[in-house]
Amino acid sequence: MKTISSDTALILVDVQHDFLPGGALAVPQGDEILPVIASLQTQFDHIVATQDWHTADHGSFAANHPGTRPGQQIDLGGLSQILWPVHCVQGTSGADFPSTLDRSRWKAVFQKGKNPLVDSYSGFFDNARRGDTGLGDYLKQQGIRRVFVAGLALDYCVKFTAMDAKSLGFETLLLTDATRAVNLQPEDGQRALEEMKAAGIHCLESKDFTKYV
Ligand code: VGL
Ligand code: ZN
């Protein structure tokens, strides 16, 4: 099969057990993206993944703030932080990638959320750009100028990753059938798509992907 041009990469965001049905922070219908991603992967030469990779004492976990519950908002080091259930703790099976995902062609995995004092929705930076995962420099060094973004969850890590990609100067495309939203509020996924479109991110279904090959 013909693969897409070499200046283009696929970024798979946080396709991990804890974001899939049965996981600690399960994204509704998150598993439906797995066959879509399997098919997309065959068409890219350059694939990278991000991995939510928290310390057990991470400040985004409600369990680490006595008296709070997931979904509540707190101040974490001067930033507004939504509290989550304990998820994607380093070395746990919840943080692992599903075995059905073919990792053999991934060029690199960028871990994020390792600093307990700040969350890291984007695959590029900690929130408020307090830290840098190295993904941006890596892609530039590889000669990448265009990225397709897919994974979980649309209204958090996928959105922030795509927005940062765009702001770093990459032509950025979001694959709408290869992502699903948490939807803490029912319209969050839809709002995320609108925010991305307003920022100049092209949103397309993977069936229209061949137009870019
Ligand atoms: C995510 C909430 C907390 C995500 C990660 O991958 O979208 N969401 N940590
Ligand atoms: Zn997380």
Side-chain angles (χ1 to χ4, degrees):
M1 188 185 296
K2 188 172 171 347
T3 53
I4 199 160
S5 54
S6 62
D7 65 352
T8 300
L10 174 65
I11 304 177
L12 298 176
V13 178
D14 298 2
V15 186
Q16 294 167 261
H17 282 306
D18 271 342
F19 298 119
L20 293 165
L25 211 175
V27 178
Q29 279 100 48
D31 54 333
E32 291 175 6
I33 73 170
L34 294 173
V36 182
I37 287 174
S39 149
L40 279 167
Q41 286 208 113
T42 64
Q43 301 175 78
F44 283 85
D45 284 332
H46 211 117
I47 306 170
V48 296
T50 70
Q51 185 174 33
D52 214 34
W53 193 247
H54 296 306
T55 55
D57 65 348
H58 200 268
S60 72
F61 298 164
N64 292 327
H65 303 276
T68 66
R69 281 178 310 171
Q72 241 173 280
Q73 219 148 329
I74 62 154
D75 178 283
L76 184 66
L79 299 177
S80 170
Q81 173 70 49
I82 299 172
L83 293 175
W84 301 106
V86 174
H87 66 278
C88 297
V89 173
Q90 298 175 5
T92 64
S93 58
D96 216 341
F97 301 105
S99 55
T100 52
L101 206 57
D102 176 14
R103 299 169 56 176
S104 66
R105 293 182 51 255
W106 294 3
K107 303 263 195 218
V109 175
F110 291 84
Q111 296 176 326
K112 62 188 182 61
K114 297 194 271 192
N115 178 351
L117 303 175
V118 62
D119 210 353
S120 196
Y121 290 148
S122 161
F124 290 92
F125 302 105
D126 290 340
N127 293 357
R129 300 206 173 185
R130 290 194 175 166
D132 187 329
T133 65
L135 174 57
D137 286 342
Y138 169 83
L139 292 173
K140 286 185 176 164
Q141 276 157 18
Q142 299 292 318
I144 301 296
R145 45 160 294 280
R146 181 166 67 156
V147 297
F148 285 78
V149 183
L152 300 170
L154 171 62
D155 36 359
Y156 292 96
C157 294
V158 170
K159 178 182 88 174
F160 281 83
T161 300
M163 295 291 263
D164 278 341
K166 179 71 186 171
S167 82
L168 289 171
F170 298 101
E171 185 187 344
T172 306
L173 301 93
L174 187 275
L175 291 154
T176 54
D177 54 336
T179 184
R180 291 291 184 280
V182 178
N183 282 335
L184 288 183
Q185 304 294 322
E187 301 296 313
D188 283 354
Q190 200 48 46
R191 261 199 293 271
L193 284 175
E194 266 138 40
E195 237 180 280
M196 286 187 271
K197 284 180 203 163
I201 294 165
H202 191 64
C203 299
L204 72 153
E205 284 184 46
S206 51
K207 72 170 168 53
D208 298 322
F209 170 80
T210 45
K211 290 179 191 163
Y212 297 86
V213 178

